[in-house]
Amino acid sequence: MYPRYQDVQHNVKQVRQMSDCIDTMHSFYDFRYSAIGDDFRCQIGDMQHRDMLWATSSYDVYYSHAGSVYCWNPWQRLARRRILDRSQMPRAFRVRSMCVDGGVVFVGDSRGNYCVKSLLADTGPVAAGSLAAGTGADAIRHASPTVSRSGALHIVSSHQSGAVRRLDACDLSVAHTSTMDWAANCSSLAHDGTMQCVVGNSTDAQLADPRRGSNDCVARLTGHLDYSFSCALSPDGRLVATGSQDTSVRVYDVRWPHQTLATLGGYVGAMHVVKFSQCGRFLLGVESADYVHVYDVQSSFKRAQVVGLMGETAGAAFSPDSNCLFLSVSDPVHGSSLAEYNLVSTDAEETPHSLYY
């Protein structure tokens, strides 16, 4: 039995009662292959933050292992290569968060320090710095890549102090900073930079417009009964999803943020990772252990696929073309693996586009 943690005391049955009725008898992705063994154990940087798996293509899957960052090629089965070695990082650096995109790998630690390395050269230099507020520890709880309006790659980091910073990956300058009243666990920025969602040690999420100021809150997203660890904005910026320790994912329309669009309940634990596919059709919800949910956005979240695993999850990611889904299991008892699922080529149950799109 997986332990169910609570920071804010609540009745799990209440979450079940609020959850929408969903048809889970669908298969959008079929299993293709899994690499099993300790070499493919994705390191969980923090029990509450597990977005440690990233894919830049269908054959480049990045994960943290033994203090380093590796790249796994599922098409070559057991082939992997070390991208960022532990010896290249500052002393006592412990990877707690990571993201990979735009030819750059970024890792952050529990003291607010970070390392950035280009993927264009395996032997290239590693840039290191600190995003900590003041002299105290300021853990980087989550990192995600985004592209600025000028086309520059930025890294959005969420901090234990409540700060959310945008780091320019080219010159390592801080382009923007906002501060929450609570520890920030995750943040997601719309592609056009007009909307940002932040979740953390609060039952409410904050929706803000970064262009208006550092702390300008547009709306508060309510409904969760416990702290949230993950959030994601859809590719078109219309929908926002939040994953909470109350075992549910809530979806909101940014045009009517005061009303929950869908409440998607889980089974055993917190929803540590939520991600939209780049095509906008699927929403991913990853529980602490055993279950990964793939929701069909086009059916107004009424259809889903539930992928059953065995053990604690460390991350999940869609390939940029949405044709592949990668999952990570990192469990000391049941073993560790990286698994690949491929999009089903034909879907006889295809439904018309919903009113959300």
Side-chain angles (χ1 to χ4, degrees):
M1 184 68 178
Y2 186 79
R4 184 177 289 119
Y5 301 99
Q6 292 187 4
D7 286 304
V8 179
Q9 293 299 315
H10 60 274
N11 190 339
V12 178
K13 292 183 179 179
Q14 186 179 353
V15 180
R16 302 286 186 270
Q17 293 171 354
M18 294 188 298
S19 299
D20 298 344
C21 183
I22 301 171
D23 180 4
T24 59
M25 303 301 292
H26 294 272
S27 181
F28 308 123
Y29 287 87
D30 281 345
F31 174 79
R32 176 181 176 269
Y33 176 76
S34 66
I36 303 173
D38 287 340
D39 287 345
F40 300 95
R41 181 176 182 178
C42 186
Q43 173 183 328
I44 298 177
D46 185 282
M47 292 301 293
Q48 295 180 334
H49 311 96
R50 307 189 182 195
D51 196 3
M52 305 297 288
L53 189 70
W54 293 80
T56 57
S57 72
S58 59
Y59 46 85
D60 289 300
V61 183
Y62 298 86
Y63 66 102
S64 173
H65 171 73
S68 302
V69 177
Y70 287 81
C71 179
W72 172 54
N73 186 341
W75 294 93
Q76 295 180 356
R77 299 301 172 104
L78 298 179
R80 67 169 190 159
R81 68 183 191 276
R82 185 178 294 153
I83 300 299
L84 179 58
D85 188 73
R86 186 174 184 176
S87 63
Q88 297 175 288
M89 304 177 191
R91 187 176 181 180
F93 191 98
R94 180 177 179 271
V95 177
R96 180 165 180 169
S97 58
M98 65 173 288
C99 68
V100 184
D101 200 6
V104 169
V105 56
F106 173 96
V107 291
D109 76 350
S110 58
R111 297 176 298 171
N113 300 322
Y114 68 87
C115 293
V116 179
K117 182 182 179 182
S118 172
L119 297 176
L120 301 180
D122 290 342
T123 59
V126 176
S130 176
L131 290 170
T135 58
D138 188 14
I140 301 177
R141 294 188 163 186
H142 185 266
S144 60
T146 187
V147 178
S148 69
R149 302 182 72 178
S150 64
L153 177 66
H154 285 182
I155 306 297
V156 182
S157 60
S158 305
H159 295 254
Q160 183 175 337
S161 65
V164 178
R165 298 184 174 90
R166 288 213 313 267
L167 178 73
D168 191 312
C170 296
D171 59 17
L172 302 183
S173 62
V174 178
H176 184 271
T177 300
S178 57
T179 306
M180 306 298 116
D181 296 330
W182 24 260
N185 291 330
C186 182
S187 58
S188 178
L189 186 68
H191 291 305
D192 59 2
T194 60
M195 196 66 64
Q196 184 177 38
C197 179
V198 184
V199 299
N201 288 2
S202 171
T203 56
D204 298 341
Q206 180 168 304
L207 206 59
D209 186 345
R211 302 170 300 175
R212 296 185 182 181
S214 60
N215 298 299
D216 190 16
C217 178
V218 175
R220 292 195 178 275
L221 309 179
T222 62
H224 282 302
L225 303 181
D226 207 336
Y227 294 167
S228 295
F229 299 134
S230 56
C231 63
L233 280 154
S234 61
D236 64 359
R238 292 185 180 182
L239 301 178
V240 59
T242 58
S244 171
Q245 193 165 239
D246 67 7
T247 73
S248 73
V249 172
R250 283 182 175 264
V251 183
Y252 306 83
D253 190 319
V254 298
R255 296 167 294 181
W256 302 285
H258 301 291
Q259 182 178 357
T260 304
L261 208 60
T263 302
L264 313 172
Y267 296 142
V268 298
M271 291 288 189
H272 282 287
V273 180
V274 293
K275 291 181 180 180
F276 283 95
S277 61
Q278 288 297 316
C279 66
R281 181 184 172 188
F282 301 110
L283 171 64
L284 192 64
V286 182
E287 296 192 49
S288 305
D290 297 347
Y291 296 102
V292 173
H293 306 258
V294 183
Y295 303 103
D296 181 18
V297 179
Q298 293 183 358
S299 67
S300 304
F301 305 98
K302 298 302 182 186
R303 304 193 311 167
Q305 174 184 358
V306 179
V307 180
L309 305 172
M310 182 175 289
E312 296 195 42
T313 57
F318 290 107
S319 61
D321 58 9
S322 305
N323 287 330
C324 297
L325 171 63
F326 301 101
L327 308 178
S328 171
V329 173
S330 179
D331 195 286
V333 177
H334 301 292
S336 304
S337 66
L338 296 175
E340 178 190 6
Y341 291 75
N342 287 348
L343 182 67
V344 177
S345 58
T346 59
D347 189 353
E349 299 174 311
E350 184 73 28
T351 59
H353 286 266
S354 72
L355 56 88
Y356 305 136
Y357 281 82

